[in-house]
Amino acid sequence: MDVCLDIAFEIFSWLPAKNICKLKSTCHSFSNFPKETVFKTKQSQNLMEREDTCFFIQPEKISQSYYKLVELQALPKYRQSSGVPNNVLSFLSNSICVLDSSNGLVLCRTIIDEEIEFFICNPITKSKFCIPIIESLQRSYNLSNINIMLDCSSDDYKVFLFENITEWMQNSYACNVYHGKEGAWKTMNEDFLPGGRSLNFDMHVLYNRALHFISDCGRYFEKSSPYYKPYIMSYNLDNGSSSMLKLPRQAIKDSHVMCNMGIFKWGKGTSSSSSICLVKLQNSVFSIWYLKDYKAGLWQKVLKTRVRALGLNEKDPNVRGFTIMNGNLLIFATEKMIYSCDLEDERFMKVEEICQHNCGFYPRFISYSDTFRSCGTNVEIMPC
């Protein structure tokens, strides 16, 4: 059956890039779609409204100095339809740290001959764009003071870099924003004030025009201190204000003792019901809440369950890392295996085994979806 180009254009624009690369060989006319700017823009916009299909997994940042490895795994229902070419994955595993991903673009960092480099790449098109290093990092750099993240939620991508401007204590961060279309860094007028605790910049959530970060849980403040309890700090991208958001009372209880907490995006894509999700892991028990009323700071519990109650095929499962993907899917790793657990609808608490992994005791997850989104002009071809 013949399909006119307009209809094919629309159908193809809703497919992951890997599928399009496979199907374009069936017709010469279709094979031109990925070369067209209009098609690449439409396909990346369409997939922005859909679920991510894969995730990168790698060792924690500290371990990467000695043990370089980047794995890519597809979520269970996308195993046949999404991915990254093997030669690109090998390139990323060679000397790269994957920092973040958004709408098909991947933010990476590499250090060669003591020189640091940040770049944006699209693994499907094998294109790469080096981000200019801001002046303060050209003079000297300390990776523990650099926290960088990527956002492609609009027609322009932005890179946010929070740099600790005081070496001896983390009480102020300068926020620099790189705009892809303008090709330049801009410094926010107001610094980010994190409060007294250390923040986990790897678990950031962009919501309500503000970036949100969760603090650690260590017991190093007196009860009289405003920073005694763990919290979420937000940084408003419009006016640069820093605000504290309290955690639910049950999450704070006993949080100073062997506790791991993280925040993630809750809800589907750009849905009006999207919010912030809080995950607490303590004594092999998962507790999960979502922020039901942002202004009032009201949280609602979603789940509380022991890891053993999830029915894993491991005798003594020890969870070493976790994340929330696509707004309602809990992904967690034991020392050897990675699992998914649905948190909504008819598949609630449905657990699936995804794969084995080799990323150590503290793996990091970066959600990914393959698109043809452009890195910008004057891109390089990745050496793979």
Side-chain angles (χ1 to χ4, degrees), residues 175-222:
C175 178
N176 298 280
V177 185
Y178 181 82
H179 298 260
K181 284 188 174 181
E182 297 179 19
W185 287 96
K186 293 183 179 180
T187 302
M188 295 284 286
N189 292 329
E190 302 294 332
D191 292 340
F192 175 42
L193 307 178
R197 291 183 169 273
S198 297
L199 301 184
N200 187 343
F201 285 89
D202 285 341
M203 294 182 177
H204 60 276
V205 177
L206 178 57
Y207 180 70
N208 266 9
R209 293 290 304 158
L211 282 165
H212 298 76
F213 310 95
I214 192 168
S215 73
D216 67 355
C217 300
R219 182 180 300 195
Y220 47 85
F221 285 101
E222 299 293 333

Side-chain angles (χ1 to χ4, degrees), residues 104-346:
L105 298 186
V106 181
L107 174 63
C108 300
R109 184 204 73 212
T110 184
I111 302 176
I112 300 177
D113 296 330
E114 298 186 354
E115 291 188 7
I116 187 170
E117 178 184 79
F118 294 109
F119 64 87
I120 301 286
C121 72
N122 185 321
I124 295 297
T125 62
K126 299 183 181 180
S127 55
K128 168 187 171 184
F129 178 78
C130 293
I131 303 172
I133 302 296
I134 60 176
E135 185 178 352
S136 60
L137 298 185
Q138 289 176 344
R139 293 192 300 267
S140 63
Y141 68 87
N142 181 345
L143 292 182
S144 64
N145 294 336
I146 301 170
N147 305 281
I148 190 167
M149 54 220 66
L150 173 69
D151 173 52
C152 296
S153 59
S154 65
D155 61 349
D156 185 19
Y157 70 77
K158 297 179 181 179
V159 178
F160 300 96
L161 189 151
F162 289 86
E163 184 185 5
N164 185 13
I165 56 180
T166 51
E167 290 287 340
W168 56 280
M169 62 185 301
Q170 297 176 334
N171 61 357
S172 183
Y173 287 85
C175 178
N176 298 280
V177 185
Y178 181 82
H179 298 260
K181 284 188 174 181
E182 297 179 19
W185 287 96
K186 293 183 179 180
T187 302
M188 295 284 286
N189 292 329
E190 302 294 332
D191 292 340
F192 175 42
L193 307 178
R197 291 183 169 273
S198 297
L199 301 184
N200 187 343
F201 285 89
D202 285 341
M203 294 182 177
H204 60 276
V205 177
L206 178 57
Y207 180 70
N208 266 9
R209 293 290 304 158
L211 282 165
H212 298 76
F213 310 95
I214 192 168
S215 73
D216 67 355
C217 300
R219 182 180 300 195
Y220 47 85
F221 285 101
E222 299 293 333
K223 287 187 176 181
S224 58
S225 170
Y227 307 121
Y228 175 72
K229 302 172 182 177
Y231 52 82
I232 294 171
M233 287 297 294
S234 69
Y235 183 70
N236 188 288
L237 297 176
D238 292 327
N239 58 27
S241 62
S242 304
S243 302
M244 181 184 292
L245 180 63
K246 294 183 178 180
L247 302 180
R249 186 177 300 175
Q250 290 175 300
I252 293 174
K253 184 179 179 181
D254 300 324
S255 60
H256 293 107
V257 182
M258 300 296 290
C259 176
N260 189 7
M261 288 197 284
I263 57 171
F264 311 94
K265 185 71 176 292
W266 177 258
K268 297 296 184 181
T270 57
S271 168
S272 59
S273 62
S274 63
S275 183
I276 297 174
C277 173
L278 170 68
V279 180
K280 177 182 179 181
L281 178 64
Q282 187 175 37
N283 297 324
S284 294
V285 174
F286 275 120
S287 299
I288 301 176
W289 299 261
Y290 79 93
L291 192 55
K292 186 175 183 179
D293 189 324
Y294 186 85
K295 290 184 178 180
L298 297 178
W299 296 83
Q300 180 167 317
K301 181 172 283 188
V302 176
L303 172 72
K304 183 175 182 178
T305 182
R306 290 190 174 277
V307 175
R308 287 186 178 181
L310 296 175
L312 309 185
N313 293 322
E314 295 187 49
K315 184 177 180 180
D316 296 303
N318 184 7
V319 176
R320 309 302 303 191
F322 57 82
T323 188
I324 298 290
M325 294 185 190
N326 295 326
N328 64 3
L329 188 66
L330 173 66
I331 305 293
F332 62 95
T334 61
E335 294 179 7
K336 296 181 179 180
M337 302 297 300
I338 302 175
Y339 302 89
S340 67
C341 176
D342 280 84
L343 301 176
E344 278 191 343
D345 304 326
E346 69 277 359

